Amino acid sequence: MTKVGIPISIAADKKTVLVAACAMLAGLLAGCGGSRETGGTPADNKEKAPEPVTLTLTPYFLNMTDEEYDEVMIKPLKAKYPHITLNINKEDITKLVTAGQTPDIVYGANSRFSVLQDLDLPYDLREFAKTYKVDLNKFASPNIDWIKELGPKGELYALPFALNHMALFYNKDLFDKRGVPYPKDGLFWDEYVDIVKKMTYSEGGVQFRGSLPPNPETFARMKSQPLVDASANKALVNTPQFKPLLELVQQFYQIPGMVVNFQKPPGLDSFFKDQQTAMFMNWIPDSLGLLQKNGALFPFDLVGAPTFRDNPGITIDPGAQLMIVTKTSKHKEEAFKVIEFLTSPDVQTILNKKSRLTALADESIRKDFLSELPLAKGKNIQGALKVKPAKMAPPNPYHVAVAGKVNALADVIVAGTKDINTMLRETQESADKAIAEEAARRQK
């Protein structure tokens, strides 16, 4: 406020001076918004509290327990932004979009991002990231690199939230009963197959298995091999690179006792619940969650996932978990503030200690992975993390369709009616047809 002087003559009438001074003071107060006519009070000059906002988050091809959502997202968010309420809707995203109930935020897996693109959901976050000064270099590679590749013109369609990490879990009791040494960090696939053979046997009318056979897509991801040639829109199945991967899958199914009466081996319950499978290769957080759900009925531990001799120490890509803001959200900025906050060191520290591997590159956070999860106490978590994730293959809208064809080869192997070359040729043809049909659908 500019200081105003009032020149007063010594001979001036005191009453006149007093009236003039009061009039000028009233004018100054009015200029500052403090007159009675405007109703101004000191309280009115304070910044108004933000209007309450309710946002909906839907997981797609990913999930967490209700407790995880509460501890990792809802409680920290309410403390940071009291005016924002975050609701979790676990309904199928396609059904929600069809019903006109598209959420504000989608928590999704990188392997199914193309589905979210098909639904035209991801909103370009570049301007928000610039406004809120988000440093993308704080995120771990290769996760953030893959997300950047999603935008051909520099668009930023997501922020990383968490990482998965593949490891090999094993049942100590089954190994002890069989007298076979526990698996160790640094396993190669040929060594792993040998252990599986030793741990696959029948006893007391019960068929025990060393492990469940990995699917072909898993091996392709470990090699960073794309399943689609993006330049030609053709599948990459009947190739010299993919053939040895399918042959390795076949080795598992050919172990005596793995397939009984032409039936595929049972699912994950055979490891987590029935204790009839000795080893299980899976994501660390998901496996610990399943063990906890089933009461951790047996002593277990984990080691790094097996790797290829020509690519040692490298396992499947991290299965990046990401957050997008949807184009239809009426509260895009608030939704961005939510996902930006969920990537902050404070929240990522909670996430990393209790639930999922942080998406941040900060080793001071990563070293405490699952340190506050009772089930992980004394387990070889850090040893399993020494196996590094492969680079993710570039995103492709036809990957999901081809992956379905490739993984269906397990049923053909179990049937035992076709050789490898026939399977590769027929799957190539089927996958190319699926790509062509999908491309035609997209052009309509």
Side-chain angles (χ1 to χ4, degrees), residues 120-140:
D120 196 26
L121 294 182
Y123 180 74
D124 184 0
L125 304 173
R126 278 181 296 181
E127 287 303 314
F128 287 143
K130 182 178 179 181
T131 299
Y132 290 93
K133 298 180 172 60
V134 177
D135 180 13
L136 298 181
N137 293 321
K138 70 179 181 178
F139 296 109

Side-chain angles (χ1 to χ4, degrees), residues 230-245:
S231 62
N233 277 349
K234 296 289 184 180
L236 293 172
V237 177
N238 192 12
T239 67
Q241 293 76 30
F242 188 77
K243 182 177 180 179
L245 305 183

Side-chain angles (χ1 to χ4, degrees), residues 110-130:
N110 68 300
S111 61
R112 295 298 182 270
F113 183 82
S114 61
V115 176
L116 303 180
Q117 284 183 309
D118 288 344
L119 293 171
D120 196 26
L121 294 182
Y123 180 74
D124 184 0
L125 304 173
R126 278 181 296 181
E127 287 303 314
F128 287 143
K130 182 178 179 181

Side-chain angles (χ1 to χ4, degrees), residues 75-387:
K75 284 182 179 178
L77 182 65
K78 183 56 67 174
K80 175 69 174 179
Y81 297 117
H83 67 291
I84 297 179
T85 298
L86 184 65
N87 293 331
I88 309 298
N89 187 336
K90 299 180 183 179
E91 293 292 321
D92 179 74
I93 185 65
T94 304
K95 293 180 180 178
L96 289 174
V97 171
T98 302
Q101 299 174 4
T102 305
D104 302 278
I105 300 169
V106 178
Y107 165 43
N110 68 300
S111 61
R112 295 298 182 270
F113 183 82
S114 61
V115 176
L116 303 180
Q117 284 183 309
D118 288 344
L119 293 171
D120 196 26
L121 294 182
Y123 180 74
D124 184 0
L125 304 173
R126 278 181 296 181
E127 287 303 314
F128 287 143
K130 182 178 179 181
T131 299
Y132 290 93
K133 298 180 172 60
V134 177
D135 180 13
L136 298 181
N137 293 321
K138 70 179 181 178
F139 296 109
S141 292
N143 187 11
I144 187 61
D145 307 318
W146 189 88
I147 287 176
K148 289 178 179 178
E149 290 178 8
L150 296 174
K153 298 180 180 178
E155 299 94 337
L156 181 65
Y157 287 126
L159 288 183
F161 172 66
L163 298 176
N164 261 327
H165 194 90
M166 189 69 74
L168 180 65
F169 287 76
Y170 62 94
N171 183 323
K172 289 185 173 182
D173 275 351
L174 292 182
F175 276 88
D176 291 342
K177 290 175 182 178
R178 194 68 173 163
V180 175
Y182 301 149
K184 296 180 180 180
D185 287 317
L187 274 177
F188 291 113
W189 279 109
D190 56 308
E191 297 172 326
Y192 181 54
V193 171
D194 288 339
I195 299 175
V196 174
K197 290 177 180 177
K198 294 175 183 177
M199 295 300 297
T200 301
Y201 60 96
S202 180
E203 183 177 275
V206 177
Q207 180 62 55
F208 293 89
R209 293 173 172 85
S211 79
L212 303 181
N215 63 48
E217 182 193 8
T218 297
F219 285 135
R221 287 172 63 179
M222 286 184 173
K223 287 278 195 172
S224 299
Q225 288 185 15
L227 294 180
V228 181
D229 179 350
S231 62
N233 277 349
K234 296 289 184 180
L236 293 172
V237 177
N238 192 12
T239 67
Q241 293 76 30
F242 188 77
K243 182 177 180 179
L245 305 183
L246 188 59
E247 289 173 336
L248 181 53
V249 174
Q250 188 179 49
Q251 281 187 48
F252 281 91
Y253 283 103
Q254 290 177 337
I255 294 173
M258 187 64 71
V259 175
V260 179
N261 296 326
F262 298 100
Q263 297 295 314
K264 287 177 68 175
L268 52 83
D269 274 355
S270 65
F271 177 81
F272 292 100
K273 185 177 180 181
D274 302 328
Q275 300 178 55
Q276 294 173 3
T277 296
M279 298 178 287
F280 190 77
M281 195 178 71
N282 195 29
W283 306 115
I284 293 177
D286 295 353
S287 295
L288 290 172
L290 287 167
L291 284 163
Q292 194 162 338
K293 178 181 177 182
N294 287 290
L297 302 173
F298 56 89
F300 73 92
D301 209 337
L302 65 158
V303 295
T307 65
F308 291 95
R309 288 188 180 273
D310 62 352
N311 200 24
I314 303 296
T315 185
I316 191 171
D317 64 69
Q321 303 178 11
L322 44 82
M323 296 277 187
I324 73 164
V325 173
T326 62
K327 289 182 178 180
T328 56
S329 174
K330 296 180 180 179
H331 306 285
K332 293 183 181 67
E333 186 163 8
E334 288 85 355
F336 179 82
K337 289 169 71 174
V338 167
I339 68 174
E340 190 272 335
F341 174 64
L342 294 179
T343 69
S344 68
D346 287 346
V347 174
Q348 288 286 305
T349 296
I350 297 171
L351 171 81
N352 190 75
K353 288 182 176 181
K354 294 178 178 289
S355 176
R356 313 277 160 146
L357 183 62
T358 177
L360 301 179
D362 190 340
E363 286 297 330
S364 68
I365 296 176
R366 292 170 65 89
K367 68 180 178 60
D368 292 326
F369 181 43
L370 300 179
S371 62
E372 293 185 3
L373 184 69
L375 195 61
K377 296 290 184 183
K379 306 303 180 187
N380 184 38
I381 301 293
Q382 291 303 316
L385 290 181
K386 289 179 181 178
V387 180

Side-chain angles (χ1 to χ4, degrees), residues 1 21-38 40 45:
M1 184 182 295
C22 288
M24 184 167 291
L25 180 60
L28 291 173
L29 289 175
C32 295
S35 72
R36 287 187 177 275
E37 284 80 359
T38 63
N45 292 331

